[in-house]
Amino acid sequence: MHFDPTLFAQQLINGLSLGGIYALIALGYTMVYGIIELINFAHGDVYTLGTFFSLAILTLLGVTGVVTGPMLIVVVAVTILGAMILCGLTGVIIERLAYRRLRNAPKLAPLITAIGMSFILENLMLYWKGPSPIPFPAVIPNPEFTLGAVTIQAKQVMVILLAIVLMVVLQAFVYNTKLGKAMRATAQDKDAAQLMGININTTIALTFLIGSALAGAAGFVSGVYYGSTWFFNGFGAGLKAFTAAVLGGIGNLAGAMLGGFLIGLIEAMTTQFIGDQWSNVVVFSVLVIVLIFRPSGLLGEALPNKV
Amino acid sequence: MALLEIDNLVARYGRITALEGISLTVEEGEIVTLIGANGAGKTTTLRAISGLVRPASGAIHFAGRDISRLAPNEIVRAGISHSPEGRHVFPRMTVRENLELGAYTRTSKAEIAEDTARVLEIFPRLGERFEQKAGTMSGGEQQMLAIARAMMSRPRVLLLDEPSLGLSPKLVQTIFAVIRDINARGTTILLIEQNARQALAVAARGYVLEVGTIVHSGPAADLAASEAVRAAYLGGAA
């Protein structure tokens, strides 16, 4: 095997767009873990639901292929926002029905419940659309730009930009608003947060709303990017995104983003230079190696929680 | 009518009864202390008042209103602030952010700024550490922050749980001076202390808790002079 810089640059673009999707999903894992220390296994399925909801909205709008002109902006905005709202509400309902009652139960109880929630969502989607792959309309025109020998597709630019924009908005919300501060306080110390007058039920619900809405956005993007989906899509992607969150430092927003892009890159590079069948091996090996040397992840803080 | 009135309060953790029907009152403007050994139920009493522990039975009236079924955030809004045992500052937030969260229920920026200035005047050290993460500060500094943060909601009643625990003797003196000062400025205080001698010196009245029951109560000076209290909590010797 010989190293080809053009192929490397090409896979850089492919990896970053793949990573953008992982990053958006990883944010939801890391936010929920940060606030209630739960690995929300149902999150990957909420992402798939995002694709399903997007498809339903596009069908309602009568969109079956590429949209052009000003209508494109309307269709994309309506579909993304619709998928974000519907997924956000799904997340809130899941928390309300399944996790809230178990907040003070031993950690294993909500964890098993999350796995159960994942099965429920998968089977609902199986019932809704059947077991076969479902085609997803292209929606956006996809002109290719060439940069030297490297080809960049418009939809790749869209994925990367959307991931970065949503991340910036999220950071601004969490660090610069009163509600964001309440979320961070709840994540750091629930009793103390309540003593400040914060309603932690509201902030936890808000966390699920935002995390699931981001998965909804990722769901739309992935439909456009891959051109198809199926009910079980969220299992693998969810696992990778969760890995991304751990790699970056679970509970840390920037870490989830970094981890997502890294995993996308590692996957693309492995596929190109080592072989498709090795991508999972390499991804998880990197995870293990990073955790051996930095157990709290790349950007995880080592500051003590309790003094 | 007393500002804070606890009537026959029972609290349980699972099958364990932590409070077996205690009654106490705190008058407006008073410092009242609750002393007793570890596990006597002092912390549970404060947690029940601030809503972190739901009472099994009994009533808690604050300014004439039953607050025993309210959520903690509603109780803060009603005017009770709680500086919990173990400080519980937000470790990954700065002193400034911790104080801002203390004022979470309030909206007037001008009043919040005024109160921030006031707590920084009481605790100049917090001004020096203003942009430092709370988790990186010393125990004494964290304790000051916990008290300052509790004052930021401008409470009518301040609940202080072991404010002197683990502090150097010099800092203990500072904290008790601050407690007097806060009270002199008009805040009613219910104080829990291991350091019974100091607590009785600063308080007007006191209650002694033993395994979930109040066994003595009265003016702080009387309690400090009582043989039973001295033997059990003041180290016996005069």
Side-chain angles (χ1 to χ4, degrees), chain B residues 4-236:
Chain B
L4 184 66
E5 206 167 316
I6 297 180
D7 191 25
N8 211 9
L9 178 69
V10 177
R12 296 196 182 94
Y13 295 106
R15 286 189 194 152
I16 300 158
T17 303
L19 296 175
E20 310 195 34
I22 67 158
S23 299
L24 64 84
T25 59
V26 182
E27 301 287 340
E28 178 120 51
E30 268 189 318
I31 299 181
V32 172
T33 186
L34 203 54
I35 58 178
N38 274 334
K42 299 176 307 238
T43 293
T44 306
T45 306
L46 292 202
R47 288 174 66 86
I49 297 170
S50 57
L52 291 175
V53 169
R54 186 141 287 206
S57 67
I60 303 170
H61 282 88
F62 174 65
R65 171 184 180 205
D66 185 2
I67 57 164
S68 58
R69 303 283 143 193
L70 295 185
N73 61 305
E74 295 167 314
I75 292 171
V76 177
R77 280 168 212 277
I80 297 178
S81 193
H82 181 172
S83 168
E85 182 184 19
R87 296 139 198 171
H88 285 266
V89 294
F90 299 107
R92 290 190 293 278
M93 292 197 196
T94 62
V95 168
R96 177 178 53 75
E97 289 177 305
N98 269 277
L99 293 177
E100 285 167 4
L101 280 161
Y104 186 78
T105 55
R106 302 172 57 190
T107 47
S108 162
K109 286 216 166 87
E111 282 180 22
I112 294 171
E114 196 179 295
D115 284 3
T116 308
R118 184 170 75 116
V119 298
L120 293 182
E121 181 199 317
I122 297 174
F123 299 109
R125 181 71 67 86
L126 295 180
E128 295 161 24
R129 298 273 185 268
F130 208 50
E131 295 297 337
Q132 189 174 326
K133 294 237 167 96
T136 65
M137 302 199 305
S138 74
E141 289 165 345
Q142 290 190 20
Q143 186 60 63
M144 294 177 196
L145 179 56
I147 297 174
R149 188 183 60 175
M151 291 168 64
M152 289 299 295
S153 66
R154 212 178 257 194
R156 285 179 75 184
V157 173
L158 182 58
L159 311 176
L160 296 175
D161 195 340
E162 302 281 10
S164 78
L165 192 69
L167 302 188
S168 70
K170 192 171 166 232
L171 261 175
V172 171
Q173 293 309 321
T174 311
I175 294 287
F176 275 98
V178 164
I179 292 171
R180 272 204 188 86
D181 181 35
I182 294 169
N183 179 249
R185 292 168 192 241
T187 308
T188 305
I189 293 175
L190 178 55
L191 170 70
I192 289 184
E193 261 297 331
Q194 291 273 330
N195 191 336
R197 193 184 304 273
Q198 287 273 14
L200 290 173
V202 77
R205 290 187 303 116
Y207 293 85
V208 181
L209 261 177
E210 245 168 50
V211 284
T213 323
I214 288 173
V215 290
H216 304 284
S217 64
D222 293 1
L223 287 177
S226 130
E227 266 321 310
V229 174
R230 279 166 60 170
Y233 303 105
L234 302 177

